[in-house]
Amino acid sequence: MLDDMDKLVSLCKRRGFIFPSSEIYGGLNGFWDYGPLGVELKRNIKDAWWRDNVRMRDDMVGLDCSIIMNPRVWEASGHVGGFSDPMVDCRASKERYRADQIFVFAYVYPAVNHKGEPTEAWLAGLGGTPEEAAEHVEKRAAKLAKRFGQPVGAPSIIPYLKLEPNDRDKVVGPATEDRGTLTEPRAFNLMFKTFVGALESESNVAYLRPETAQGIFANFKNVVDTGRVKLPFGIAQVGKSFRNEINPRNFTFRSREFEQMEIEFFCRPDQAQEWYDYWRKARFQWYVDLGLKSDRLRLRDHDPDELAFYSTATADIEYAFPFGVSELEGIAHRGDYDLTQHMKFSGKDLTYFDEERKERFTPHVVEPSAGADRATLAFLCEAYAEDEVGGESRTVMRFHPRLAPVKAAVFPLVKRDGMPETAEAIYRDLKRRHNVFYDEKGAIGRRYRRQDEAGTPFCLTVDSQTALDGTVTIRDRDSCRQWRIPKADACQALDNLLDGLPIPGDA
RNA sequence: GCGGGUGUAACUCAAUGGUAGAGUACCUGCCUUCCAAGCAGGCUACGUGGGUUCGAUUCCCAUCACCCGCUCCA
């Protein structure tokens, strides 16, 4: 079990799974590159997802949308405006608040200072409404009343965003006694901005997509009109997304450029809950089937107060990483929120006509949204193991065979007696179907261990007996167990092993 | 974004105000018939930019990156 990310980061670097982006220039915070083994692993994960969720199903189609879209898409989705809230920092308490959730209560007390001016106290309170904010403020105001007398009249209530800049210094933050510790509201827009065309003007601003989902909604009508699809059905997309995270952390877990595997599953409103339950279970099981078997994998339903305002139910598939329990995938029941928003902003009709029921309605959506990089990281963490073979410790990556970057390695036991030639012929044969590796250098034990660290599930070795009876040994990564198979059956044996079918010639 | 820590070879780590050493790994050769064996040889490093100094990997400043804690995570 991996208990320390440093070990994994080190192995990823050493074996070529993951490197810091543009490392020779010192890297870039929040960006990572996948090396030769990493790209195979991540690709296998994405391929498994696509195969299991799109190809193998009759009710799913795929899509590949552009990363830069008409900026109006992000107005409809709420990414421009709604979620780019200005934030306010408190210099004293180091707290950060949403500016729209701070209300300032300006009290005036009868006591006067040496200039004869009345004593004022501008107290900041937190809450979605002035009433909520007042609760906290009133206690503090009452304390002040003991010193300065009962306030004159009711306090004036000013939303922090409406505050005159000069008045900001008067405000006492929610967690301090001192005035003037709050900063001006600052925008934290998490979308990467760019310009379409050579001219950098406000009129041609565009954004790198912060999620793949909106491209699916924007194409809903196209798919319905041309795809010969009938409700219920889903649209799937795998692709890069970008979020200018304030604080990237935890290796590749929170990156500024990342890859998503998203499904928007459209259905009749009265079936949405059923489909939500279905996807919640199905998506969890997918991770289990691919090897996240330990109790580090969890399914957690959101509490009602955690839900986005448009969602009636959301569940997170979480994994207990060494740095904490974190989300791999969210399954959200989003109702008709997204299509309704896009109808409002685009003016286009995105309702669906059910031919059998002769009904027109706006489909409801269940959204299983997974992070490919997060899944990759979870599979890496889960696979990492240290055990002992013949009294020697080894590091082994126990990837599910479907996900392993290299499926098999082929070795000659020693570099003579025609063994390399025989081994290479087997290698050439296997390579047509699988990602396999050939190695004739060094001691055989060393070659096995090298493959263990790469997570290669099987090793085929040509020895002196091969020339006599045409068999080779096959070694299992996890158990180090070996048995012999005819070399002519090598390809079929590997196919079976990778598919979990019975092993030919097993003894 | 705040606070703390760390940056030396591919990896893990030393030492040092006078330009650096080990283990592992990697490469070449010999040997070797199944789990990191042995012998010989070889390659590779002071994150970046300033400053102090005759001279800086070492001291100072800044910056970048990573780690830990807070914060954030639509």
Side-chain angles (χ1 to χ4, degrees), chain A residues 97-119:
Chain A
Y97 312 104
R98 268 175 58 177
D100 64 338
Q101 304 220 330
I102 301 178
F103 293 91
V104 176
F105 294 73
Y107 287 91
V108 179
Y109 294 93
V112 292
N113 64 11
H114 63 278
K115 286 182 192 165
E117 294 162 345
T119 301

Side-chain angles (χ1 to χ4, degrees), chain A residues 387-394 449 452 475 478-481:
Chain A
D387 63 6
E388 278 200 3
V389 175
E392 298 279 343
S393 71
R394 71 162 179 168
R449 298 299 174 83
D452 290 340
R475 168 196 185 260
D478 297 339
S479 63
C480 295
R481 207 166 57 86

